[in-house]
Amino acid sequence: MARNKFDIDENLESPFDIRHFRRALVYIRKQQTPMIIAFILSALSAGIALSAPLIIQHVVDVTIPAKDKSGLVFWSALTLATIVVSVVLATIRSRIMTSVGQDIIFDIRTDLFKHLQELPFQYYDDRPQGKILIRVVNYVNAVSDVLSNGIINFILEILNLLFIAIFMFAVDVKLSLVILAGLPVFMCVILLIKTRQRRAWQAVSNKSSNLNAYLQESISGIRVTQIFTREKHNEGLFTRLATSYRDTWMRTMYLNFLIPFSVDNLATIVTTAIYFVGLLALSPGEVTFGVILAMSSYAARFWQPILNISNLYNSFINAVAYLERIFETLDEKVTISDVPDALALPPIQGRVTFDDVTFAYDPGHNILEHLSFDVRPGESIALVGPTGAGKTTVVNLISRFYNISGGQIRIDGHDISEVTLKSLRSQMGIMLQDSFIFSGTIMDNIRYGKLDATEEEVIAAAKTVCADEFIREFEDGYMTEVNERGSKLSQGQRQLISFARTLLADPRILILDEATSSIDARTERLLQKGLNELLKGRTSFIIAHRLSTVKNCDRIMYVADKGIAESGSHDELMALRGRYYKLYTAQKMETSA
């Protein structure tokens, strides 16, 4: 998949690989019972419908010449009955297959969503979200009909073609050969355009994916767009992508309509040839008018399955390309997962040990090297230093959002790589700078990390972080509905709600990554009082650029040069007059100025 680019086509051009279809059979087998019933109903419907031309032949050649009025009524009623029964069976079959198709969509989409929930942060950092979404929505929709209706229809059309041929030759061999004479011409048309048609549909998918990726990016960044008045420029980008999609679609439709155009014209030519051969070339004793009518009807029916099979084949080849992308996502490695026989981490005290830890996001470019330190239970640790030094990386490693390259990280003596992720992260509270608010009520957002929390517990957490006051100012209080990302809330309010959400989980280890960056100084002072009480007895890691907020921590670690350059209390580091001293002094001078 293209990395962070909405204007680069995904390469869907690949040779046919039956393995993807075999994997898809897992979803098909779950629906085999209703599919078998639908197949039987379809076969019965098709068989009954094929009897209509024979009835017409009998009526024209026998009943009408004999002036048999009662027979005419009987055969007319029988013809009507065949039509009604065929329609009823086809309707039942259609309802069954609609349900089957939706069940297949549900199963594939559920597996995709479940897998996406488990993929590491880096997967999403490297890919446009729009191109991930289109696999879960559009691509799954594209393959569902082929995996359900497509398989049954393909088999039915083959059988239908065989039945029609049997009926045709049973009525008249010579006129049947006239009908088959157009088949080589049609095969030449298919061979000429099938590759171009497949590539054209793949191009449509690419342009749709690009458009979807840019649309998602534009909606997410609409505030920045309006701040910098980029509306006209972005409109131009969108127009270019939409125009490319429209042009590609029109070229694809041109190719797509060549097949029905060819079939319609060949069917017309063949039907004309039947009348010509039947009425002019053959003697009256060889063929009756009823036979000619029956054969012209079979000619129309014969070419329809051929058209359907060619369309199904093209859809099948395209679906395999989509399946490749779906299974590519499902095959994406979950690099952060429980090891075999992983143990549940028992209730922890909060001792954290880094033992000779080395880490790199990209091989060969270490962010941390041979990092070692030990944190006692209940100790508060501040991580400070220049941007990009690795402060956030350290706390991400504690939560095991990434696997380390070397060394060992232990909590209460347990190697975190050998315990279950759920038991590890459930005992941690992580507050990030980017506070994400989900659509729903404020109560739901605070309760997100602890679904069984009572209203009293939610309100207590909100009071601790000084969020209760502004929440009660809303007309519906804690039941106030907020939109995705909390568009009704200020950045500071979103952070306070996220704070309450983190604290409600009652973690033993608390991680605050620039958690107070969007809160005003007055609220921060009030919040600090609550935090001081909350941090008692908990191990905490606090990342902050404003050093005044961390000067009271038990220990301050200055992260630089791929490790801990300085470590100690505020007073100890100030006395050392090293990097921390220079940074703190510079900030104090800026504040004074």
Side-chain angles (χ1 to χ4, degrees):
M1 185 184 293
R3 297 297 193 264
N4 293 317
K5 293 292 289 181
F6 59 80
D7 56 350
I8 296 179
D9 291 343
E10 292 181 274
N11 181 22
L12 290 178
E13 181 61 44
S14 59
F16 174 80
D17 192 339
I18 195 64
R19 290 178 300 170
H20 302 309
F21 182 70
R22 287 174 181 168
R23 289 183 65 177
L25 289 177
V26 173
Y27 299 100
I28 296 172
R29 289 192 187 101
K30 294 181 181 179
Q31 308 297 328
Q32 62 182 3
T33 300
M35 289 180 73
I36 290 172
I37 294 173
F39 175 79
I40 294 172
L41 292 175
S42 297
L44 289 173
S45 176
I48 292 171
L50 285 174
S51 64
L54 292 178
I55 296 175
I56 293 173
Q57 177 196 347
H58 180 80
V59 169
V60 172
D61 289 344
V62 179
T63 307
I64 293 178
K67 298 181 180 181
D68 184 0
K69 293 181 180 180
S70 60
L72 184 62
V73 172
F74 171 77
W75 291 114
S76 298
L78 184 60
T79 301
L80 179 62
T82 60
I83 295 172
V84 171
V85 172
S86 179
V87 169
V88 169
L89 292 177
T91 301
I92 297 173
R93 179 259 190 190
S94 178
R95 290 186 177 182
I96 292 174
M97 292 313 300
T98 298
S99 176
V100 168
Q102 288 302 309
D103 287 342
I104 290 175
I105 287 178
F106 176 83
D107 290 339
I108 297 177
R109 195 166 284 157
T110 300
D111 287 349
L112 273 171
F113 182 77
K114 180 181 178 182
H115 190 68
L116 288 170
Q117 295 284 293
E118 298 174 349
L119 290 176
F121 289 174
Q122 195 161 358
Y123 176 82
Y124 298 95
D125 295 338
D126 291 344
R127 291 161 172 81
Q129 294 181 16
K131 293 195 175 186
I132 298 174
L133 291 175
I134 201 169
R135 298 188 179 206
V136 181
V137 181
N138 298 53
Y139 288 2
V140 174
N141 288 340
V143 304
S144 65
D145 193 56
V146 174
L147 296 181
S148 55
N149 280 306
I151 295 174
I152 289 180
N153 287 340
F154 188 80
I155 297 172
L156 281 174
E157 296 298 353
I158 294 293
L159 293 176
N160 197 21
L161 199 61
L162 180 62
F163 290 154
I164 292 172
I166 292 172
F167 274 81
M168 286 193 315
F169 279 94
V171 173
D172 192 276
V173 175
K174 293 179 180 179
L175 293 182
S176 297
L177 294 176
V178 172
I179 295 174
L180 295 179
L183 201 55
V185 179
F186 178 72
M187 294 304 298
C188 290
V189 174
I190 292 294
L191 291 174
L192 286 173
I193 70 170
K194 71 180 186 69
T195 301
R196 292 176 59 195
Q197 191 177 25
R198 180 192 177 207
R199 289 175 178 172
W201 277 113
Q202 289 174 344
V204 168
S205 175
N206 289 337
K207 302 308 178 185
S208 175
S209 178
N210 295 344
L211 193 63
N212 192 71
Y214 183 69
L215 183 61
Q216 191 278 333
E217 180 181 296
S218 298
I219 293 173
S220 298
I222 191 64
R223 288 178 174 81
V224 178
T225 295
Q226 295 183 2
I227 288 170
F228 289 95
T229 63
R230 282 259 306 195
E231 293 91 342
K232 287 294 182 183
H233 182 80
N234 288 1
E235 183 181 338
L237 289 175
F238 183 83
T239 300
R240 177 168 59 83
L241 292 169
T243 300
S244 179
Y245 174 78
R246 181 195 62 192
D247 293 345
T248 304
W249 174 266
M250 293 304 296
R251 287 193 296 269
T252 303
M253 286 298 99
Y254 172 77
L255 288 171
N256 200 54
F257 287 137
L258 283 177
I259 292 180
F261 174 80
S262 301
V263 170
D264 289 342
N265 281 277
L266 284 171
T268 301
I269 293 171
V270 166
T271 302
T272 303
I274 288 173
Y275 283 102
F276 177 81
V277 173
L279 295 175
L280 301 178
L282 299 177
S283 63
E286 291 183 78
V287 61
T288 65
F289 187 65
V291 169
I292 294 175
L293 285 178
M295 292 303 294
S296 64
S297 177
Y298 281 129
R301 293 170 182 265
F302 178 80
W303 285 99
Q304 188 59 46
I306 293 176
L307 173 62
N308 295 340
I309 290 171
S310 62
N311 288 333
L312 285 169
Y313 174 77
N314 187 62
S315 299
F316 179 73
I317 296 300
N318 287 335
V320 170
Y322 291 133
L323 284 171
E324 179 186 13
R325 293 308 175 204
I326 292 171
F327 290 133
E328 180 185 66
T329 303
L330 288 172
D331 290 339
E332 192 72 32
K333 291 183 178 179
V334 180
T335 55
I336 311 298
S337 60
D338 295 339
V339 298
D341 302 322
L343 301 175
L345 182 65
I348 61 175
Q349 297 299 314
R351 187 182 189 94
V352 178
T353 304
F354 273 56
D355 187 0
D356 196 32
V357 171
T358 297
F359 173 76
Y361 290 104
D362 298 312
H365 299 85
N366 290 341
I367 303 298
L368 301 172
E369 288 183 349
H370 308 294
L371 175 62
S372 296
F373 62 81
D374 188 69
V375 178
R376 299 184 300 275
E379 191 175 9
S380 59
I381 304 296
L383 298 174
V384 302
T387 301
K391 303 183 294 296
T392 299
T393 299
V394 171
V395 295
N396 281 338
L397 294 181
I398 296 173
S399 307
R400 204 186 159 208
F401 290 131
Y402 300 90
N403 286 325
I404 58 179
S405 307
Q408 192 178 66
I409 300 175
R410 297 188 296 274
I411 293 181
D412 287 3
H414 299 276
D415 187 340
I416 64 171
S417 66
E418 297 178 355
V419 301
T420 63
L421 291 173
K422 183 176 178 60
S423 65
L424 171 67
R425 294 175 184 170
S426 64
Q427 300 190 66
M428 293 186 177
I430 305 171
M431 174 67 187
L432 303 176
Q433 183 177 4
D434 182 16
S435 306
F436 193 93
I437 300 297
F438 297 89
S439 58
T441 66
I442 293 176
M443 179 73 73
D444 291 336
N445 269 278
I446 297 176
R447 195 183 271 151
Y448 189 85
K450 187 180 180 183
L451 298 178
D452 59 348
T454 64
E455 290 190 13
E456 291 74 17
E457 290 174 325
V458 171
I459 294 171
K463 286 181 177 179
T464 301
V465 301
C466 306
D468 180 71
E469 182 179 349
F470 85 79
I471 292 174
R472 292 188 182 277
E473 290 178 356
F474 290 115
E475 182 179 351
D476 296 322
Y478 284 86
M479 292 298 109
T480 300
E481 292 282 342
V482 292
N483 298 330
E484 182 185 349
R485 294 188 174 273
S487 59
K488 292 183 178 180
L489 305 170
S490 69
Q491 178 62 28
Q493 289 172 335
R494 290 199 293 270
Q495 268 194 313
L496 290 176
I497 290 175
S498 296
F499 236 127
R501 178 168 59 199
T502 300
L503 302 183
L504 180 63
D506 192 26
R508 299 308 306 163
I509 297 177
L510 192 62
I511 295 173
L512 309 178
D513 188 352
E514 288 292 339
T516 60
S517 61
S518 298
I519 300 174
D520 61 83
R522 176 182 173 276
T523 304
E524 185 178 16
R525 287 193 296 271
L526 294 173
L527 176 61
Q528 195 64 47
K529 294 178 182 179
L531 285 178
N532 289 339
E533 290 298 318
L534 185 72
L535 294 178
K536 289 181 180 179
R538 305 176 195 270
T539 304
S540 58
F541 292 85
I542 304 171
I543 298 175
H545 284 100
R546 290 193 301 228
L547 301 185
S548 59
T549 63
V550 298
K551 61 185 296 185
N552 294 324
C553 289
D554 296 326
R555 198 181 344 163
I556 299 172
M557 295 181 181
Y558 191 98
V559 182
D561 302 329
K562 302 180 182 181
I564 305 299
E566 297 176 1
S567 179
S569 67
H570 172 74
D571 293 337
E572 290 171 343
L573 294 180
M574 291 299 289
L576 186 64
R577 301 179 73 85
R579 300 187 186 189
Y580 177 81
Y581 171 83
K582 293 178 181 178
L583 183 61
Y584 184 83
T585 303
Q587 281 194 10
K588 192 172 183 180
M589 291 177 63
E590 288 179 7
T591 303
S592 299

